[in-house]
Amino acid sequence: MDAECLEGANGSSYHLTWKSLFENNALDSGHFRRYWRDEVPKLFSPKPDALVPIYDEETSKRTLFDPLEKFILDGEHSTVLEQLREAERPPTLCGRVFKMGEPTYSCRDCGMDPTCVLCVDCFKTSLHRNHRYKMSTSCGGGYCDCGDLEAWKFSPFCDRHAPVSSSEEERSPLDRLSQPVIARARMVFEYVLDYCYQMLCWEESIKLPEDLKVGASDVSETFATMLFNDEIHTYEQVIRTLSRAIGCSQKEAIDFATTVDRDGRSIVKCGTFDNCREVKAVVEIITTQHGPKPLRVVVMDPRVVAHQNYALKLLAWFQQLISGSQAFRVLFSEVVAAQRRDERSILEGVIRSDTRLWKTARSQWHQLFISGMLMEQESKRTFARVFTRNYPTLMKDFIEDDHDHSLSITSLSVQIFTVPTLAHMLIVEEDVLAIVLRTFCTECEAKLNSQSKLAFERNQASANFRRAQFILFDLKYLLISKPDVWDNPMRSHFLHGFELILKLLSWMQGMDATVRQVGQHMEFEPDWESAFNLYIKLSPVITLVLEWCGTDRVVLVKAYRATLKKLGVLLESPPKVNRVVADLSAACINYDVSSQQLSIHLPLTRLLTGLHLHLDSVALNFNSPEFCVSNKPSPVLLMELPLQIQVMIAQVHAGMWRRNGYSLLNQIYFYRNVRCRSEMYDRDIVMLQIGASLVDGNEFLIHLLNKFGLMNWVREDYEMGFPKAEEDSVRQIVTLVEEFLGLVLIVVAERHVPGVGLVSEGDCIRKEIIQQLCIEPMAHSHLSKTLPEDANHETGLESVIEQVATFKKPIGSGKGIYEINAECYSDYNPFFYHYTREEQSKAEEAQRKRKKQAEESECCPPPVPSRFWPGFATVPNILNCDTMLHVMRIVLERSLNLRARSYSDGQALKLLHLIGYALYEEQRSVESGDGTFRFTERSSKENVFVLLEALASGSSQRRDVHKDLLNWVLQKFRQVQKLSANRVGEASFSGEAMDTTETVSDDGVRTADVVREEKKKRAEMAAARRNRIMAQMSAMQKNFIREHAELFEKTESEPTLSSSLMDLTEISTAEGPPVCVGLNQTSRQWIPNRHICILCQEDQDVTLGGRAMVFSALVQRSTVLSRSRGKFLEDSETYDPDRKSVV
């Protein structure tokens, strides 16, 4: 039958004509297209008097859609379709496509990741309704994962989609259809999809394809002005523009704007070509003023609009047709992915043309791919391969587009990259990690400066780079599921991607470097937000990469080696300078933080830190032969950059960076904020702990002292020249010393990191919760915000909260809160490194108040620390080294010197905590039978205990501030010292250090000798120190006399010591009230007493004949005791008061 026969047929019998042609092998696409050429413009062309399209749905269904179904199914199509649905087993996969704003549910207990969601109907009939779940709203485009075995750890099916057991052997879905039906369906699918692809991507707005034209001279007299949506211009701008361009009312403009926003386009004018072109020009002129580019306006032939509208209807019909038949879905997948002659497949063509489509067309295609391909495992693999191979092009188009990510074909990446089997298949077979990372690196290359570092400027348009960061979400999706079994292809392709990660991180290492402003304030605040936004999105990727590396020894070794090599290239060997502390020297890196560049961004160093934490689990360490690489950086060089950041923060607290503005303060805030600290601040602290474990304790502390600029402060004679320093310098030194001691405290005490301390993830969460609840009782939501999230946005709060806190129900309309259990208060750490200064102060105040109410000692001693992993077991040695003992002695001596200006109570408080941790370590060492950590013995040689006792027994205000903590430290010191002595068979330390009882034994004789020897040593050291101080005071006296020689020349000789003593010791028998001063003062009897000299700390009998006590005094003329204040002395220098004559 030829074409002429078709022209006489009506719509209701077209399927018979097509069937006859099909049986004669004469049916081709032209028969369908000619039919559509004639019928589509009649039903779908826009009307000039009705700009909003109004279609006769019933007529269009009867004329255009029913013939297609009847031709495919050869009969009553409705009945046959229902039979197909009934013939198939109940579907085990829901696949409901979500609309914008539709509610979704995710199970926090069973979901493989947060993207696994359920629709309302499936959630209500599933076991997940009794689990911990999260409710949210969909952005549109996703679908229900009920029935997907790879989306759920447990309970993958709801009651509606539970699989039915069947003894029948699994058959191919196509076996349920006859071969003629399959052949006809395949043909219709091919012709319909080709037509939809052509018309929806058609770029000739006023010209139809040749085979859809009615005649060669077919030219329309009426045209339509089509306004397209974008994400640049606001709703109000579009309304005002339309009111001016087409002269419509406010209500009509709102209707047009609503249609444009909902559908992506709308006809705003029908008329002649010139009229439509004039409207187009006006719209473009007006909207150019509101943004970087005008609204897109196109003058279109109404028949082109009609065919495009029909194509959208066809896609909706297609989705409905295949949703009820697995066989049709398989056929659809085969047709849409089939390679056409000399052309790409329809699937590839559509996804590459995605940005050329408007909102409704995009949504229809996406939903069709979800319903037709992503519901079947094989079809999903096919889609994943095509998507991956075109990923760079798709992302580049999306970056240059202006529509939201949810409207882009790239949003479907979550549907394939989060499936574990698909992700691992794509990594091995398509090298998807390298493809994704290369795509992102290509976008980053445009941001590199001359030093090959990423640089962001505030005035540059960064919208494109923000859109490019969606690539990092795809990277995270690919890495969510770790492989259970590694093979060589997986290792090879993962390490290929790891190399590109190193390349990216090397561009970020040192970006946004800053220098301390010393002359004038910073004029323009730099753009620091872009770098942190990038880091926030990249952090979960780095965390997942580290988890992958930790699951395979071969991958871990190669990744660690590659990172060492990259750092060896980037970290140049800096100049060094020799520094000496307490007769110990170290070659320190000569880098001044206060005057040279430094950056807070060190992702490459932190990556190595994360890898290092996995070494112990595979019996490796930093010095293992596997890591002997060229240019291998030393531990000192590796910890240099994190140390610089800590010093810079200390200097900021000391007020040395005020001129750098708020940008630096904001960076430091986010550096330690819960959103960033896991991959920033925490990693830097661990790197310092790595350095402390690999470097000698004395050398480590000297490096810290040098970097903090405290080499002069640590000298014993520092205070002698210090009073001449400026007040700002005094405050800065005091703050830097506190920060230095605080950093040492953090390095030694913070062990709740898996791989650093012998702790689990649950222990770490427990520690965080306890510290937060020690500030104040908190609601669940508030407490969750203080905890870091993992890659699945989980904090782990619910798993441990019942162990450490009790929930208090709200009273009235308030919130319920968690209160910490009493037994957990012992874990409170006043110097917890995640506290801000405000939180630290609030926590300490709350604990002191609690203890005071309970009538307990108000001190908050350091908590008992967990054990270090074997690789970090040497870190506590820094508490027992000579340099640390020297620092302890310096601080304690200055705490006793009331004139010391470089001392602060904060220094003493942190030092007492350090001593507390040292005592814990010695106690643990003795109890384990090791006994190598001998802090009490070594510190006694430096008089640390004696100085502590002197501080505790004094009556100054400095003693009162730390009275309770001092007593705790002294008590702990005696306890540990006694324990150590008992372990080695010695008697307890006696005398001033601790109370003992006399025992008759050989050990008692030896102990007495030891006591006498120690007393002798203390006396000698005190005498030497006294002599030094007296010599310095004598020199100061001589200097004073020399400067004021003329005053001393006029001074009469004083009475002798003997006469003074005689006068003072006479017992007065005169009656009457006592006279305090003057020639007739009442004599007094001297009562000898014994005191500890505050100058030399030696016991001394205070007598009239003993050594004099020197006091500072201000001598000036005074009339306090005068009876003649109102009289004037003409010659006050020669006036003799005995003559009692006043002029």
Side-chain angles (χ1 to χ4, degrees):
M1 185 179 293
D2 56 18
E4 286 75 10
C5 298
L6 292 174
E7 296 179 0
N10 55 39
S12 60
S13 61
Y14 252 92
H15 66 284
L16 299 176
T17 306
W18 291 336
K19 179 181 177 183
S20 176
L21 290 171
F22 173 77
E23 291 173 350
N24 294 319
N25 294 325
L27 186 64
D28 59 23
S29 62
H31 296 95
F32 292 91
R33 293 175 70 88
R34 283 191 289 272
Y35 180 61
W36 294 331
R37 177 196 63 190
D38 298 332
E39 300 297 331
V40 167
K42 301 176 184 177
L43 297 172
F44 291 96
S45 290
K47 306 298 188 293
D49 54 345
L51 298 181
V52 177
I54 300 175
Y55 310 123
D56 188 342
E57 296 290 344
E58 184 62 31
T59 303
S60 61
K61 180 179 182 302
R62 184 178 63 255
T63 306
L64 296 173
F65 296 106
D66 285 351
L68 296 176
E69 293 181 5
K70 291 178 180 179
F71 171 69
I72 294 173
L73 299 173
D74 192 18
E76 290 297 329
H77 56 96
S78 300
T79 304
V80 177
L81 281 175
E82 188 62 30
Q83 291 174 353
L84 284 175
R85 294 189 180 96
E86 292 295 331
E88 293 187 354
R89 295 180 301 180
T92 57
L93 186 63
C94 176
R96 175 188 173 93
V97 179
F98 296 121
K99 298 178 181 179
M100 178 76 73
E102 188 173 351
T104 62
Y105 296 83
S106 59
C107 182
R108 298 171 60 194
D109 295 326
C110 305
M112 294 296 291
D113 59 76
T115 66
C116 301
V117 293
L118 297 172
C119 64
V120 176
D121 295 335
C122 291
F123 175 76
K124 289 181 178 179
T125 58
S126 70
L127 296 177
H128 303 296
R129 67 184 183 277
N130 300 319
H131 298 170
R132 295 183 305 125
Y133 63 87
K134 183 188 297 183
M135 180 181 176
S136 57
T137 56
S138 174
C139 296
Y143 64 90
C144 178
D145 291 301
C146 182
D148 188 348
L149 299 178
E150 295 192 78
W152 308 100
K153 301 172 186 175
F154 310 101
S155 306
F157 303 100
C158 70
D159 295 342
R160 297 168 56 242
H161 299 104
V164 178
S165 58
S166 175
S167 58
E168 294 183 8
E169 188 175 334
E170 187 66 28
R171 298 184 303 164
S172 170
L174 295 179
D175 292 343
R176 300 188 182 95
L177 299 177
S178 63
Q179 288 303 317
V181 171
I182 294 175
R184 290 193 297 271
R186 190 186 301 275
M187 178 177 289
V188 171
F189 288 4
E190 180 180 351
Y191 296 160
V192 168
L193 288 173
D194 186 69
Y195 169 79
C196 293
Y197 168 54
Q198 182 188 33
M199 291 312 305
L200 293 177
C201 298
W202 187 251
E203 295 183 350
E204 298 289 341
S205 60
I206 57 175
K207 187 171 84 170
L208 281 169
E210 293 298 327
D211 57 350
L212 293 179
K213 292 181 180 179
V214 177
S217 59
D218 184 21
V219 178
S220 176
E221 297 180 358
T222 305
F223 291 86
T225 304
M226 188 73 73
L227 177 65
F228 289 83
N229 180 51
D230 66 12
E231 302 299 330
I232 298 175
H233 298 87
T234 64
Y235 207 80
E236 291 74 16
Q237 290 172 354
V238 174
I239 293 174
R240 289 197 300 267
T241 300
L242 290 176
S243 298
R244 293 174 58 185
I246 61 177
C248 63
S249 64
Q250 180 78 3
K251 182 181 181 305
E252 291 174 333
I254 292 175
D255 292 339
F256 285 133
T258 303
T259 304
V260 171
D261 182 65
R262 183 188 67 240
D263 299 337
R265 72 176 190 177
S266 174
I267 299 174
V268 296
K269 177 72 173 179
C270 282
T272 64
F273 182 79
D274 292 337
N275 291 338
C276 292
R277 190 170 58 179
E278 182 180 352
V279 172
K280 175 180 181 294
V282 173
V283 171
E284 290 177 344
I285 291 173
I286 296 175
T287 54
T288 302
Q289 304 170 4
H290 300 152
K293 61 180 182 179
L295 278 171
R296 182 187 171 201
V297 186
V298 178
V299 178
M300 301 185 67
D301 188 314
R303 289 167 298 184
V304 174
V305 176
H307 282 284
Q308 289 182 343
N309 290 338
Y310 176 58
L312 293 176
K313 295 290 184 180
L314 275 176
L315 294 181
W317 167 79
F318 231 127
Q319 184 179 346
Q320 183 180 4
L321 179 67
I322 64 179
S323 62
S325 173
Q326 185 181 13
F328 283 160
R329 292 196 293 271
V330 172
L331 276 176
F332 167 78
S333 301
E334 291 178 357
V335 171
V336 78
Q339 197 76 20
R340 299 184 296 172
R341 293 188 306 272
D342 301 328
E343 294 182 28
R344 59 175 69 100
S345 65
I346 295 176
L347 171 62
E348 187 174 0
V350 170
I351 64 175
R352 291 175 70 98
S353 304
D354 187 70
T355 56
R356 292 155 51 189
L357 305 178
W358 61 99
K359 186 181 294 186
T360 305
R362 294 186 186 193
S363 299
Q364 291 288 3
W365 277 117
H366 299 171
Q367 293 178 19
L368 184 59
F369 291 148
I370 291 173
S371 301
M373 300 195 74
L374 302 186
M375 298 294 104
E376 307 297 328
Q377 189 63 27
E378 285 302 319
S379 302
K380 186 184 289 189
R381 293 169 70 91
T382 301
F383 181 86
R385 291 179 187 277
V386 175
F387 185 88
T388 301
R389 291 166 186 169
N390 291 276
Y391 186 86
T393 302
L394 300 182
M395 285 307 306
K396 186 173 180 60
D397 291 342
F398 164 71
I399 292 169
E400 295 176 353
D401 191 25
D402 60 0
H403 282 65
D404 290 339
H405 183 255
S406 60
L407 298 174
S408 170
I409 191 66
T410 58
S411 65
L412 295 185
S413 61
V414 67
Q415 310 298 342
I416 54 177
F417 289 164
T418 55
V419 181
T421 55
L422 283 181
H424 297 164
M425 180 270 293
L426 293 173
I427 291 173
V428 173
E429 299 180 12
E430 301 292 339
D431 202 13
V432 65
L433 287 179
I435 291 175
V436 172
L437 281 163
R438 272 198 300 267
T439 304
F440 188 69
C441 288
T442 301
E443 297 299 322
C444 290
E445 286 176 352
K447 298 288 183 180
L448 296 180
N449 58 17
S450 58
Q451 288 80 34
S452 296
K453 302 297 180 185
L454 286 175
F456 305 97
E457 296 183 10
R458 186 173 296 278
N459 295 330
Q460 285 186 347
S462 57
N464 285 0
F465 191 71
R466 286 198 299 269
R467 295 174 71 87
Q469 292 175 21
F470 278 98
I471 300 173
L472 300 178
F473 289 108
D474 294 340
L475 197 57
K476 183 182 75 171
Y477 296 150
L478 288 166
L479 297 170
I480 281 179
S481 300
K482 298 182 291 293
D484 296 326
V485 179
W486 287 82
D487 54 19
N488 289 333
M490 176 65 78
R491 293 189 183 100
S492 175
H493 288 91
F494 174 78
L495 290 172
H496 186 198
F498 186 83
E499 291 176 359
L500 292 169
I501 290 177
L502 291 181
K503 179 181 179 181
L504 173 61
L505 297 186
S506 67
W507 292 345
M508 297 174 62
Q509 180 92 350
M511 65 179 177
D512 281 1
T514 185
V515 182
R516 179 182 169 221
Q517 296 288 116
V518 292
Q520 59 183 1
H521 287 272
M522 186 172 291
E523 295 183 6
F524 301 100
E525 294 282 346
D527 178 20
W528 60 271
E529 299 98 328
S530 298
F532 267 88
N533 285 330
L534 173 60
Y535 213 105
I536 289 172
K537 293 180 176 65
L538 191 59
S539 290
V541 175
I542 296 175
T543 302
L544 291 171
V545 168
L546 293 172
E547 291 179 3
W548 277 56
C549 292
T551 59
D552 186 73
R553 190 179 192 276
V554 175
V555 172
L556 178 61
V557 170
K558 291 186 176 182
Y560 198 87
R561 283 173 57 90
T563 309
L564 281 175
K565 289 181 179 178
K566 180 66 74 172
L567 281 171
V569 174
L570 293 179
L571 300 178
E572 300 178 356
S573 181
K576 296 186 177 181
V577 60
N578 197 51
R579 300 297 188 192
V580 180
V581 176
D583 298 328
L584 298 168
S585 64
C588 300
I589 295 175
N590 189 16
Y591 195 95
D592 184 12
V593 174
S594 63
S595 62
Q596 294 179 264
Q597 269 195 348
L598 77 158
S599 170
I600 211 167
H601 300 286
L602 308 173
L604 203 58
T605 305
R606 293 160 188 158
L607 178 67
L608 183 72
T609 303
L611 293 172
H612 188 92
L613 295 180
H614 293 288
L615 295 185
D616 270 346
S617 63
V618 293
L620 293 172
N621 58 63
F622 183 79
N623 297 314
S624 296
E626 288 88 345
F627 305 133
C628 292
V629 298
S630 58
N631 295 327
K632 180 180 178 180
S634 65
V636 173
L637 192 57
L638 289 175
M639 74 177 192
E640 170 67 14
L641 295 179
L643 179 57
Q644 289 178 10
I645 295 178
Q646 306 312 310
V647 173
M648 185 263 289
I649 294 174
Q651 292 178 354
V652 170
H653 291 163
M656 298 171 60
W657 290 67
R658 293 192 188 100
R659 291 181 173 87
N660 285 72
Y662 287 104
S663 63
L664 181 61
L665 297 178
N666 291 331
Q667 290 185 66
I668 293 175
Y669 171 79
F670 280 101
Y671 170 74
R672 302 186 63 170
N673 184 263
V674 66
R675 294 187 64 188
C676 303
R677 70 182 181 215
S678 297
E679 288 297 334
M680 297 187 84
Y681 177 57
D682 292 0
R683 295 290 189 207
D684 289 346
I685 296 301
V686 174
M687 177 53 79
L688 292 177
Q689 292 174 319
I690 293 172
S693 68
L694 298 175
V695 179
D696 176 72
N698 290 302
E699 183 182 354
F700 178 80
L701 288 175
I702 294 174
H703 282 298
L704 262 63
L705 287 167
N706 173 66
K707 198 59 61 183
F708 274 87
L710 300 176
M711 297 306 298
N712 289 328
W713 170 87
V714 82
R715 294 169 51 187
E716 293 188 7
D717 59 348
Y718 177 69
E719 284 290 338
M720 298 307 161
F722 191 69
K724 296 181 181 179
E726 297 180 0
E727 193 66 27
D728 281 348
S729 177
V730 175
R731 286 196 297 266
Q732 290 171 5
I733 290 296
V734 169
T735 304
L736 289 176
V737 174
E738 290 184 8
E739 295 290 332
F740 160 74
L741 294 174
L743 181 59
V744 176
L745 193 60
I746 289 172
V747 170
V748 171
E750 298 303 339
R751 311 177 186 184
H752 275 73
V753 177
V756 175
L758 292 173
V759 293
S760 64
E761 291 287 351
D763 295 330
C764 301
I765 300 170
R766 181 179 181 275
K767 177 76 171 179
E768 293 278 350
I769 294 174
I770 289 175
Q771 304 308 317
Q772 293 298 327
L773 292 180
C774 282
I775 302 174
E776 60 181 358
M778 294 183 182
H780 185 280
S781 58
H782 187 189
L783 189 57
S784 296
K785 293 177 182 178
T786 64
L787 302 177
E789 296 181 344
D790 60 13
N792 291 334
H793 305 297
E794 291 291 335
T795 62
L797 171 65
E798 290 83 0
S799 62
V800 297
I801 186 63
E802 294 182 357
Q803 304 172 18
V804 299
T806 303
F807 183 73
K808 301 294 184 181
K809 293 183 179 180
I811 300 176
S813 60
K815 290 184 178 180
I817 57 175
Y818 285 104
E819 290 185 355
I820 187 171
N821 296 334
E823 64 272 13
C824 296
Y825 281 119
S826 59
D827 291 329
Y828 166 65
N829 181 4
F831 295 103
F832 183 55
Y833 72 142
H834 288 163
Y835 278 158
T836 63
R837 286 187 163 187
E838 180 184 0
E839 290 171 343
Q840 182 180 357
S841 177
K842 289 177 63 177
E844 186 174 0
E845 182 181 352
Q847 296 311 305
R848 288 184 182 276
K849 182 178 179 181
R850 177 185 63 82
K851 286 176 173 285
K852 187 174 182 179
Q853 291 175 348
E855 297 182 352
E856 300 176 0
S857 173
E858 292 187 18
C859 80
C860 297
V864 179
S866 60
R867 291 181 179 272
F868 275 113
W869 265 87
F872 291 84
T874 58
V875 172
N877 290 342
I878 64 177
L879 295 173
N880 201 29
C881 67
D882 294 336
T883 305
M884 190 73 246
L885 296 175
H886 176 78
V887 170
M888 289 179 179
R889 180 170 60 80
I890 290 290
V891 174
L892 289 174
E893 286 178 351
R894 291 173 185 169
S895 69
L896 295 170
N897 181 7
L898 298 180
R899 299 185 62 184
R901 298 176 66 195
S902 64
Y903 167 82
S904 69
D905 291 332
Q907 297 174 14
L909 184 60
K910 292 179 180 179
L911 188 68
L912 292 175
H913 275 258
L914 285 171
I915 295 174
Y917 283 115
L919 295 173
Y920 282 139
E921 290 298 331
E922 180 171 358
Q923 180 179 357
R924 181 173 288 163
S925 175
V926 172
E927 291 175 348
S928 65
D930 180 15
T932 57
F933 196 95
R934 306 178 69 178
F935 173 77
T936 54
E937 177 184 342
R938 291 174 58 82
S939 62
S940 296
K941 295 179 181 179
E942 288 285 335
N943 286 335
V944 171
F945 186 81
V946 175
L947 293 170
L948 286 171
E949 279 200 321
L951 183 61
S953 61
S955 58
S956 66
Q957 184 180 2
R958 292 181 178 179
R959 178 255 185 191
D960 295 337
V961 173
H962 311 301
K963 177 179 63 176
D964 292 336
L965 185 58
L966 263 172
N967 293 334
W968 180 88
V969 171
L970 289 170
Q971 182 182 358
K972 188 70 178 178
F973 198 103
R974 297 187 183 102
Q975 175 190 348
V976 174
Q977 196 172 44
K978 183 177 180 179
L979 180 63
S980 299
N982 291 338
R983 286 288 182 179
V984 296
E986 296 179 352
S988 301
F989 183 67
S990 61
E992 294 289 331
M994 58 180 298
D995 298 330
T996 61
T997 58
E998 294 276 340
T999 57
V1000 181
S1001 65
D1002 295 339
D1003 292 341
V1005 174
R1006 195 171 68 82
T1007 303
D1009 294 339
V1010 172
V1011 171
R1012 286 194 295 272
E1013 183 65 24
E1014 290 186 353
K1015 278 190 173 183
K1016 182 180 178 182
K1017 286 183 179 180
R1018 288 201 304 272
E1020 292 175 353
M1021 293 178 65
R1025 183 171 181 272
R1026 181 178 63 248
N1027 292 336
R1028 287 198 308 269
I1029 295 175
M1030 295 303 294
Q1032 292 170 354
M1033 293 179 65
S1034 177
M1036 294 172 66
Q1037 284 179 338
K1038 292 178 181 179
N1039 185 42
F1040 182 82
I1041 293 173
R1042 187 168 55 251
E1043 292 179 357
H1044 303 86
E1046 67 280 358
L1047 295 178
F1048 285 89
E1049 291 176 357
K1050 299 177 182 179
T1051 304
E1052 297 181 0
S1053 60
E1054 298 291 339
T1056 61
L1057 178 62
S1058 59
S1059 63
S1060 298
L1061 289 175
M1062 183 176 61
D1063 294 338
L1064 289 172
T1065 54
E1066 285 184 357
I1067 306 298
S1068 175
T1069 57
E1071 297 181 359
V1075 179
C1076 298
V1077 294
L1079 295 176
N1080 299 321
Q1081 61 178 306
T1082 303
S1083 300
R1084 54 195 178 278
Q1085 186 175 6
W1086 184 265
I1087 301 175
N1089 202 352
R1090 186 176 180 83
H1091 294 282
I1092 298 177
C1093 178
I1094 64 172
L1095 185 64
C1096 61
Q1097 296 299 310
E1098 185 179 10
D1099 291 346
Q1100 181 176 322
D1101 291 326
V1102 181
T1103 64
L1104 291 174
R1107 286 187 291 241
M1109 298 188 86
V1110 181
F1111 294 91
S1112 61
L1114 175 63
V1115 181
Q1116 64 179 14
R1117 298 185 184 278
S1118 173
T1119 59
V1120 173
L1121 303 178
S1122 174
R1123 296 179 180 177
S1124 306
R1125 288 193 184 88
K1127 298 180 181 179
F1128 176 73
L1129 298 177
E1130 292 183 353
D1131 188 2
S1132 60
E1133 296 294 336
T1134 60
Y1135 171 68
D1136 184 0
D1138 292 335
R1139 295 170 55 189
K1140 298 182 180 179
S1141 60
V1142 178
V1143 179

